[in-house]
Amino acid sequence: MSSGVLVGGVEVGGRAWLAPMTGVSDLPGRRAAARLGAAYVATEMVACAELAKGRPDVVRRAAVGEGLPLMVVQLVGRDPDWIAQGARLAAEAGAQIIDFNMGCPAREVTGAACGSALMRDPELAERLIDAALSAGVPVTVKMRLGWDDASRNAPDMAARAERLGVSAVTVHGRTRCQFYKGQANWTQVGAVKAAVKIPVIVNGDIVDAAGARRALAESGADAVMIGRGAYGRPWIAREVDAALDDRIVAEPDLQERLGIALDHLAETIAFYGERIGLKIFRKHLGWYVEGAPAPVAAEARRAAKSTLCRLERAAEVEAALIAL
Ligand SMILES: Cc1cc2nc3c(=O)[nH]c(=O)nc-3n(C[C@H](O)[C@H](O)[C@H](O)COP(=O)(O)O)c2cc1C
């Protein structure tokens, strides 16, 4: 693993981190990635008010489990009291880093003045960050370049966060109004790097080692964060991290991928139960099968995908995967 990044007092091994992704970075997903060498994988975003009220599905999102090298809980919300409570609960549950979400572009989130809507309200953002810091655990902030083209204020927001005591910032190189359109602008993440002394993590459209190198070179950031590039490839952090260190780690072969998918499936079923677990795992199944290397032919992949995603029992899915 490359030398890593110091976040507050916490040493995060490696320079390829995995992004928080709702529906993807649940505990089984984080464990799968951790087993394959990912040093940093954040939880899905956890709504503080619902966490504090004990809503079961939200509590499950913040679940701490064995086998994770680092427990990072991502919080989202707009009320300082709830954020403080959420941060305290996360810290009590074992969070070593609290990541605060100022990047989510979804309308149901920004409409509630959460996520990337906070890029438009620096004073509220500061109060919320302060509330997150009150738990005494290192806090990081994940943001976008700004709300829209006219307000690319990430450097200012990052400097404010740093002054409050935030330990690192991740910047997705798009504005909120871009959602996922166009190409992430890594050079503009460089303006954030220039504005602060704390570590900066560059995010957006990084899917391989070549992209990671370019993103680091264009932004000057300390590490990269990979989201969608990890779909069906929970080993990508190790692979990219090794490449940044001029080492080569081979991609898993078909047999290894099968083992990875089967373990991930078994953990998902154990975590959610068979019915919900299978429903949640279907997207991973599709990604694993799509990425299957030769000798599985494209046509067999397509056929397997549509069959696998209709099966109702975990044992049937396992058998079909093995037969692929
Ligand atoms: C399905 C999905 C779910 C996501 N959920 C979250 C989330 O819960 N919290 C968050 O901060 N970002 C979330 N994101 C944004 C990613 O963390 C990341 O910033 C974005 O996808 C850009 O990186 P990428 O191009 O490597 O995917 C999500 C993205 C996707 C595609």
Side-chain angles (χ1 to χ4, degrees):
M1 201 175 277
S2 68
S3 53
V5 181
L6 199 60
V7 177
V10 180
E11 171 86 42
V12 182
R15 283 186 291 157
W17 300 6
L18 293 188
M21 283 195 287
T22 299
V24 181
S25 62
D26 55 3
L27 185 58
R30 283 178 282 137
R31 277 197 179 135
R35 274 196 296 278
L36 292 157
Y40 176 111
V41 198
T43 63
E44 309 166 85
M45 64 181 161
V46 174
C48 288
E50 275 64 35
L51 178 67
K53 290 176 200 157
R55 208 176 95 184
D57 58 321
V58 177
V59 171
R60 203 165 48 191
R61 283 182 175 211
V64 178
E66 298 290 306
L68 296 175
L70 183 70
M71 183 61 198
V72 186
V73 177
Q74 190 190 62
L75 299 180
V76 65
R78 61 164 171 177
D79 180 286
D81 291 338
W82 287 125
I83 298 285
Q85 279 202 52
R88 185 178 47 78
L89 290 171
E92 283 169 8
Q96 292 154 284
I97 293 177
I98 289 171
D99 186 45
F100 185 58
N101 184 324
M102 288 178 33
C104 182
R107 285 199 173 84
E108 57 275 25
V109 172
T110 56
C114 297
S116 59
L118 292 170
M119 299 300 291
R120 293 208 283 191
D121 193 343
E123 281 73 33
L124 177 58
E126 285 190 334
R127 286 200 287 135
L128 298 174
I129 290 169
D130 225 19
L133 283 159
S134 67
V137 169
V139 171
T140 57
V141 172
K142 184 162 176 286
M143 61 177 71
R144 287 190 170 228
L145 291 176
W147 177 260
D148 59 15
D149 262 345
S151 62
R152 293 181 178 244
N153 60 341
D156 174 58
M157 290 298 302
R160 287 170 183 256
E162 179 177 47
R163 279 197 294 276
L164 290 169
V166 160
S167 300
V169 289
T170 302
V171 188
H172 178 183
R174 286 186 174 86
T175 63
R176 184 277 180 181
C177 288
Q178 281 180 287
F179 286 89
Y180 288 89
K181 290 192 294 279
Q183 188 69 30
N185 189 326
W186 301 323
T187 308
Q188 288 195 2
V189 178
V192 177
K193 178 68 188 162
V196 296
K197 293 201 176 61
I198 51 177
V200 173
I201 294 84
V202 58
N203 169 240
D205 299 343
I206 299 163
V207 297
D208 56 19
R213 280 201 196 90
R214 271 188 37 223
L216 287 176
E218 288 176 22
S219 65
D222 302 86
V224 300
M225 180 175 277
I226 301 172
R228 292 162 295 171
Y231 284 174
R233 297 158 77 205
W235 53 83
I236 192 170
R238 176 185 60 183
E239 191 183 307
V240 168
D241 186 56
L244 291 176
D245 219 13
D246 291 329
R247 288 177 291 113
I248 294 173
V249 175
E251 287 225 294
D253 63 20
L254 189 57
Q255 205 52 37
E256 286 166 318
R257 286 172 195 232
L258 176 62
I260 291 165
L262 290 175
D263 287 348
H264 191 172
L265 169 64
E267 286 220 23
T268 305
I269 302 291
F271 192 61
Y272 296 103
E274 187 169 31
R275 196 179 57 82
I276 298 177
L278 261 188
K279 218 170 131 202
I280 287 176
F281 198 71
R282 284 199 178 119
K283 59 182 172 299
H284 294 287
L285 261 181
W287 295 329
Y288 279 124
V289 171
E290 268 167 32
V296 180
E299 202 179 304
R301 284 202 295 264
R302 265 194 302 278
K305 213 173 120 180
S306 67
T307 313
L308 278 164
C309 290
R310 268 188 255 121
L311 298 175
E312 304 275 343
R313 306 305 303 251
E316 293 170 340
V317 173
E318 267 180 41
L321 268 179
I322 291 166
L324 194 65

